[in-house]
Amino acid sequence: MEQWLVGVDLGGTTVKLAFVNMYGEIICKWEIPTDKSEQGKHITTHIAKAIDEKLRELDESKERLIGIGIGAPGPVNMATGDIYEAVNLGWKNFPLKDRLEMETGLPVVVDNDANIAAIGEMWKGAGDGAKNLILVTLGTGVGGGVIVNGQIVHGTNGAGGEIGHITSIPEGGAPCNCGKTGCLETIASATGIARIATERLQQTDEPSRLRDVWKQTGAVTAKDVFDAAKENDTLALQIVDEVTFHLGLALAHLANGLNPEKIVIGGGVSKAGSMLAQAVARHFKRFAFPRVAEAADIVIATLGNDAGVIGGAWLVKTNML
Ligand SMILES: [Zn+2]
């Protein structure tokens, strides 16, 4: 009987689940809403139920399943599988591994959500098997995962790979959710790009496609910026240049310390595609040590929302077999 790996990507709004085979191919994937009531205490019960129901639906028994690899939105104590804190879920020192093992009767391995997405891209996505890889996720925030010699870099207290909080504007930057100011996240997240665009629109009267959108809808999004830039709108191109300058600079600093083979850009903003990758690469090349720049390929993530569940499955495969 072919055995399956269970990948779980736990987010603030939905829990994504998948049964995955040994080759990293998804057999079946689905999602359930994240129940954040009562400090998220029901989340593990719901995951266990969802797995049981899916097995029943597929007329399969639990013997099929080897274990669960789960990514959570917060720093992880790798020794215990506890989540130090997940503000999104209301968790503080939450014993995720213990609870989920108890509820499912399956062995569980826990990691951070951005890290499992990076592992997913390494295994089956844009990483193309590269063992030294940086994933930067441009979504509502900026997340990241760093893989060195095929291993996730967790660091001393679970905060390794926090690319979004590299300081880009040392003085006078916008406030960040982490408590600092001027973090990369305040510039290169979808929220950051929209904020910068609004500021630039307010600073001039220059006619622009982007200004038309702004006047019509009262707001601009990161997608509006890239759409206008693709049509050669001058103001939008300037904003893209400003954002990718900071991304290229931060990634070059990081790459100079790691010498990666692949830098994968994921998250909603990465739907901008090759235009984004090329603009980041242009700035990256200016700031990276030449030998580092030569080795590093900057590419767009290919797994989309599946990266996390595939990375979770990889954790099971490498830790439980
Ligand atoms: Zn920050």
Side-chain angles (χ1 to χ4, degrees), residues 121-159:
E121 288 288 345
M122 174 190 85
W123 191 22
K124 299 302 289 184
D128 201 20
K131 294 285 177 272
N132 291 287
L133 173 149
I134 298 169
L135 171 75
V136 58
T137 314
L138 312 177
T140 318
V142 173
V146 173
I147 295 169
V148 173
N149 297 330
Q151 301 285 324
I152 298 168
V153 175
H154 295 105
T156 303
N157 62 1

Side-chain angles (χ1 to χ4, degrees), residues 13-319:
T13 338
T14 60
V15 186
K16 299 182 180 66
L17 302 104
F19 296 151
V20 178
N21 71 14
M22 294 299 167
Y23 306 102
E25 294 156 354
I26 292 178
I27 306 287
C28 168
K29 65 172 177 179
W30 73 105
E31 55 183 66
I32 58 171
T34 307
D35 179 357
K36 287 175 283 193
S37 66
E38 297 179 79
Q39 283 83 50
K41 66 186 261 198
H42 305 294
I43 290 173
T44 49
T45 317
H46 290 172
I47 293 172
K49 262 194 201 151
I51 292 171
D52 284 342
E53 278 166 18
K54 188 56 73 177
L55 284 171
R56 212 171 305 134
E57 194 184 309
L58 298 172
D59 200 19
E60 294 285 353
S61 75
K62 222 168 205 169
E63 276 76 72
R64 267 271 188 214
L65 309 179
I66 295 168
I68 301 172
I70 181 168
V76 179
N77 180 333
M78 293 307 296
T80 60
D82 294 356
I83 306 303
Y84 289 114
E85 189 169 20
V87 184
N88 274 347
L89 308 176
W91 286 358
K92 192 136 196 167
N93 294 316
F94 187 86
L96 178 57
K97 177 182 156 75
D98 287 352
R99 288 275 182 90
L100 200 55
E101 285 187 340
M102 206 168 65
E103 307 249 20
T104 60
L106 290 166
V108 172
V109 52
V110 179
D111 211 310
N112 168 267
D113 56 355
N115 288 344
I116 65 165
I119 281 287
E121 288 288 345
M122 174 190 85
W123 191 22
K124 299 302 289 184
D128 201 20
K131 294 285 177 272
N132 291 287
L133 173 149
I134 298 169
L135 171 75
V136 58
T137 314
L138 312 177
T140 318
V142 173
V146 173
I147 295 169
V148 173
N149 297 330
Q151 301 285 324
I152 298 168
V153 175
H154 295 105
T156 303
N157 62 1
E162 284 294 347
I163 297 170
H165 304 287
I166 291 175
T167 300
S168 294
I169 312 276
E171 303 293 341
C176 181
N177 291 328
C178 74
K180 299 199 295 139
T181 59
C183 293
L184 182 63
E185 177 164 301
T186 67
I187 298 163
S189 62
T191 336
I193 296 169
R195 180 187 58 80
I196 289 171
T198 310
E199 281 177 17
R200 298 297 166 267
L201 283 161
Q202 284 164 342
Q203 282 161 359
T204 67
D205 289 324
E206 196 188 315
S208 155
R209 286 190 71 89
L210 197 59
R211 186 176 305 282
D212 299 341
V213 174
W214 188 44
K215 279 184 181 154
Q216 276 162 26
T217 62
V220 283
T221 64
K223 183 177 184 299
D224 295 331
V225 172
F226 282 99
D227 286 349
K230 280 175 188 162
E231 301 195 14
N232 274 321
D233 182 74
T234 308
L235 185 64
L237 285 168
Q238 284 165 2
I239 297 163
V240 169
D241 192 60
E242 181 176 346
V243 169
T244 55
F245 165 88
H246 286 293
L247 263 172
L249 178 63
L251 289 170
H253 287 330
L254 198 57
N256 282 352
L258 298 167
N259 192 195
E261 182 180 342
K262 296 272 185 187
I263 297 176
V264 183
I265 306 175
V269 175
S270 74
K271 292 196 180 111
S274 59
M275 174 196 213
L276 171 67
Q278 282 165 13
V280 173
R282 198 165 56 241
H283 290 296
F284 176 84
K285 283 204 169 69
R286 287 174 58 205
F287 299 122
F289 180 60
R291 202 169 161 77
V292 167
E294 222 172 89
D297 205 4
I298 299 185
V299 293
I300 299 292
T302 59
L303 296 180
N305 285 335
D306 295 340
V309 291
I310 292 176
W314 183 91
L315 288 181
V316 178
K317 185 177 150 131
T318 49
N319 287 284

